[in-house]
Amino acid sequence: MELMELLTGRRTYRRFLQKEVSRDIIDEILYAARLASSAANKQPLSYVVIRDAKKVEDVFQCTRWAGYLPPGDGQPKDGEKPVLFIAVVENLSVSQDCDTDAGLAIGNMTLAAWNHGVGSCIIGACDKTKLSAMFGLTQEQKLHTVVAFGYPSHKSRITDAEEPGDIKYYLDENRDYVVPKRKREDVVTFL
Ligand SMILES: Cc1cc2nc3c(=O)[nH]c(=O)nc-3n(C[C@H](O)[C@H](O)[C@H](O)COP(=O)(O)O)c2cc1C
């Protein structure tokens, strides 16, 4: 895909086909994560891949989706749930300052996935205590986020936010996501 097409289409997806993501694509997503820039090249992140269906369901139960929508609209139902999670883990003995590294790695992962038509949802709203125990994380490790993946069964498009504060995404008449982005003039200053 052409880069700007890739960036435009790489939206957050929250309903998925129940179709497996191949091992080759998973490996490419992980390679993309490892390619990301890292402060002082410390590379403090590691990854836990969850693709066994029962474990994916266990992780799913610890996640919350689409906070701006009523749960009946935003939370994926049976037959719509993601088929894969990749957890991003901070290794605090390597660095205590992992947030930018994590953002860059997650950006690479979600783009690499979308390059194969695999959609994603970054999940910060999750039960990190439960998930950390599930993943066997040590005291030196901290769960940053889990990223959900799958082939989307809906569309998502961006629109200009009419007012700068109008940032809540919503579903249109086809239950596709519409995601307002602040207008260029509201966020860019040229000096
Ligand atoms: C750090 C971070 C945490 C997020 N956490 C959640 C989450 O817990 N649940 C969810 O449904 N979406 C989550 N999202 C997705 C955002 O809601 C989404 O990126 C935003 O609505 C804009 O949509 P877009 O990604 O299509 O541009 C998160 C995104 C980021 C960057």
Side-chain angles (χ1 to χ4, degrees):
M1 257 189 253
E2 198 259 324
L3 180 61
M4 291 314 291
E5 186 192 343
L6 192 62
L7 291 173
T8 308
R10 191 235 57 92
R11 306 260 56 81
T12 290
Y13 294 94
R14 296 191 179 87
R15 301 193 305 274
F16 303 95
L17 303 174
Q18 300 306 289
K19 175 183 166 190
E20 192 188 334
V21 176
S22 74
R23 180 58 198 263
D24 282 353
I25 293 177
I26 295 173
D27 284 342
E28 204 167 298
I29 293 170
L30 295 166
Y31 180 58
R34 290 174 47 232
L35 285 179
S37 293
S38 170
N41 203 26
K42 286 188 179 171
Q43 304 166 66
L45 304 174
S46 53
Y47 306 90
V48 181
V49 180
I50 304 101
R51 58 186 194 131
D52 168 82
K54 162 83 176 69
K55 290 179 182 147
V56 168
E57 176 62 24
D58 291 345
V59 172
F60 177 81
Q61 290 303 329
C62 297
T63 56
R64 290 186 298 283
W65 297 60
Y68 290 145
L69 300 181
D73 285 345
Q75 194 78 9
K77 301 181 177 59
D78 286 345
E80 303 176 339
K81 294 177 182 175
V83 296
L84 167 74
F85 282 100
I86 300 181
V88 179
V89 176
E90 303 177 28
N91 290 288
L92 302 175
S93 57
V94 181
S95 173
Q96 308 259 336
D97 182 15
C98 300
D99 215 31
T100 305
D101 277 35
L104 290 168
I106 292 167
N108 277 12
M109 289 161 74
T110 57
L111 280 170
W114 186 242
N115 194 34
H116 292 283
V118 174
S120 58
C121 183
I122 304 161
I123 303 276
C126 55
D127 186 334
K128 291 189 180 169
T129 308
K130 249 190 192 167
L131 289 173
S132 300
M134 216 184 273
F135 302 152
L137 301 191
T138 67
Q139 297 283 11
E140 300 272 272
Q141 294 181 305
K142 187 174 156 199
L143 182 59
H144 184 276
T145 25
V146 289
V147 188
F149 295 92
Y151 292 90
S153 58
H154 69 88
K155 298 192 175 108
S156 177
R157 66 178 191 279
I158 57 167
T159 173
D160 275 348
E162 277 321 312
E163 297 296 326
D166 263 353
I167 42 73
K168 293 188 179 173
Y169 48 79
Y170 55 92
L171 299 180
D172 69 10
E173 61 284 1
N174 299 317
R175 295 189 69 233
D176 291 327
Y177 276 79
V178 184
V179 182
K181 295 289 179 188
R182 295 184 203 275
K183 286 184 188 163
R184 175 189 155 114
E185 58 266 33
D186 291 327
V187 296
V188 178
T189 308
F190 280 90
L191 297 179

